[in-house]
Amino acid sequence: MPTILITGGHSGIGIECCKLLASTYNYNLILAGRSPEQMEIFAKELRKSYNVKISVLAMDTSSLKSVRTGAAQCLKMIVNGEIDSLQAIICNAGIRLNGAVSYSTDGYEETIATNYLGHTLLVELLIDSIVNNGRVVFTASGTHDPDTADGKLMGVAAEYDVIGLAHTGKDGSKPISAGKLYATSKLCIMLYAYELDRRLKKVGSSIASIAYDPGATSGTSFLRSMPKPVRWLTSTAFIHWVMKRSGITMGDIVFSGKSLAKVAVAPDFVNSSGKYFQSNDFRLTERRSSKLSYDEERALKLWSDTKTLIHLKPNEGSPILR
Ligand SMILES: NC(=O)c1ccc[n+]([C@@H]2O[C@H](COP(=O)([O-])OP(=O)(O)OC[C@H]3O[C@@H](n4cnc5c(N)ncnc54)[C@H](OP(=O)(O)O)[C@@H]3O)[C@@H](O)[C@H]2O)c1
């Protein structure tokens, strides 16, 4: 049985996604993340409940070294026959920071490093291990679109220049705000997901690249860096009502998690490469993303700047993505 690798699978919407992948779809899973103890607790639960193979892989997506080590470990497991090839890679880990800007071990702004750069390196290193008709799914966010209520709520996405974003605030100027950095990291993901789709199609690959927005979802750890009263407020029925009335895309932890699993493996999404899906008010539908996300010229620049930032070595990366 092919395996699915997911980042951020042990919490929030990742939990419901993994449960569905293991139960209904019967896939073996690799939980990749920076909290091995928490992942192992969830892995034990999944193994016991669903009788599938669950591997735990240490991988901090904000660190290029950690992504390289984790990806190498995954390849070793495939070569050793410990696990089968990958059916899908689900790039789901994400953070929304609060307060002063911080930088990853590589010296890149942490939101951009965690949500975007680490995942692009992961795809480069593991895409050749995906089976025919497999998928790469990116958990994006409606906040990437500055023309929507979601985008305005979080902090309108910046005119991205990923190299500038990664180094924001380092030259002594005011850093881009945390909300804007989050929204822009997701805009980068959208551009990358579409560019990946174009490149895969160009070389005749059957692998799909799909973007997915779970909607504003309470009950996850997503707002953990926010003050307690803010976290409490966002979980109340009143705020949900206000958000819905304001046009915010509304997720639900179970529905949104299950929808992520479906986008990654369900036959209904077989011809979905280059598409964007959204969970909103218990409906999973295909949507148009932001105008900027379809800009192919910007996507090309982002693609090449991203390669510079992740320091892809000559012997690294997939030949189909060059
Ligand atoms: N909740 C929402 O309203 C909402 C809306 C739109 C999109 N999203 C997106 O949905 C995805 C899942 O978020 P969630 O709401 O389920 O929140 P969550 O419960 O906080 O899940 C985020 C996951 O990302 C992992 N993660 C964070 N930093 C990491 C790193 N450096 N390396 C590896 N893993 C890391 C976390 O692991 P740790 O336990 O180790 O921190 C956690 O498992 C994210 O991409 C988020 O941006 C969420």
Side-chain angles (χ1 to χ4, degrees):
M1 173 56 72
T3 308
I4 293 177
L5 184 149
I6 178 169
T7 63
H10 67 283
S11 70
I13 63 165
I15 289 185
E16 295 303 329
C17 174
C18 290
K19 283 185 181 169
L20 192 69
L21 291 173
S23 59
T24 306
Y25 296 104
N26 240 252
Y27 279 107
N28 295 328
L29 301 175
I30 302 175
L31 305 178
R34 62 180 173 174
S35 309
E37 280 171 25
Q38 284 177 48
M39 291 193 293
E40 192 47 53
I41 293 170
F42 182 49
K44 272 195 185 127
E45 186 191 323
L46 289 172
R47 285 182 203 118
K48 204 170 143 199
S49 306
Y50 307 114
N51 195 26
V52 288
K53 192 169 192 171
I54 310 289
S55 311
V56 165
L57 191 63
M59 185 183 291
D60 179 341
T61 61
S62 74
S63 155
L64 300 177
K65 186 175 172 204
S66 177
V67 173
R68 281 191 166 89
T69 309
Q73 180 68 24
C74 177
L75 289 173
K76 206 166 146 194
M77 284 156 72
I78 295 173
V79 171
N80 290 347
E82 256 178 83
I83 56 167
D84 289 326
S85 299
L86 302 177
Q87 178 67 39
I89 299 174
I90 306 179
C91 300
N92 174 63
I95 48 165
R96 191 272 191 222
L97 296 173
N98 191 34
V101 67
S102 56
Y103 299 96
S104 69
T105 50
D106 301 295
Y108 300 147
E109 190 287 318
E110 224 179 319
T111 320
I112 299 295
T114 306
N115 299 1
Y116 176 66
L117 291 171
H119 283 127
T120 65
L121 179 59
L122 181 64
V123 171
E124 282 278 357
L125 299 178
L126 291 184
I127 198 162
D128 290 341
S129 302
I130 298 181
V131 297
N132 285 343
N133 299 309
R135 299 177 197 170
V136 181
V137 176
F138 299 90
T139 305
S141 166
T143 60
H144 86 276
D145 187 345
D147 294 329
T148 62
D150 303 283
K152 291 186 176 95
L153 177 81
M154 182 61 72
V156 168
E159 173 58 31
Y160 59 87
D161 145 25
V162 74
I163 294 180
L165 284 171
H167 296 291
T168 184
K170 280 188 168 174
D171 60 358
S173 62
K174 196 171 170 228
I176 298 169
S177 74
K180 244 183 198 305
L181 281 166
Y182 175 77
T184 315
S185 73
K186 296 296 186 179
L187 175 58
C188 289
I189 283 177
M190 292 301 310
L191 281 151
Y192 184 88
Y194 291 155
E195 180 61 23
L196 179 60
D197 162 65
R198 286 188 286 270
R199 284 174 186 248
L200 290 169
K201 282 181 178 147
K202 208 166 160 184
V203 295
S205 169
S206 61
I207 297 169
S209 167
I210 307 175
Y212 167 69
D213 168 28
T217 309
S218 61
T220 75
S221 306
F222 181 60
L223 295 179
R224 72 182 94 176
S225 64
M226 293 293 202
K228 231 177 172 176
V230 175
R231 278 185 275 145
W232 172 79
L233 202 64
T234 54
S235 67
T236 60
F238 174 68
I239 287 296
H240 280 207
W241 179 81
V242 172
M243 285 166 79
K244 203 169 154 181
R245 295 268 309 196
S246 316
I248 299 292
T249 306
M250 297 303 291
D252 165 86
I253 191 162
V254 176
F255 183 86
S256 299
K258 286 185 171 174
S259 298
L260 175 59
K262 288 179 187 166
V263 170
V265 297
D268 311 8
F269 297 87
V270 79
N271 289 320
S272 297
S273 195
K275 293 185 179 171
Y276 172 58
F277 296 90
Q278 194 169 56
S279 284
N280 188 13
D281 211 9
F282 299 97
R283 280 192 305 272
L284 171 62
T285 50
E286 187 187 338
R287 295 294 307 268
R288 289 280 300 168
S289 51
S290 65
K291 270 186 230 136
L292 278 175
S293 65
Y294 294 106
D295 186 327
E296 294 188 23
E297 221 169 278
R298 282 181 160 99
L300 278 177
K301 176 160 180 2
L302 178 73
W303 188 270
S304 108
D305 287 351
T306 299
K307 293 225 187 209
T308 305
L309 287 171
I310 61 177
H311 304 308
L312 214 56
K313 296 166 191 156
N315 62 340
E316 269 186 345
S318 168
I320 62 174
L321 301 186
R322 283 191 191 126

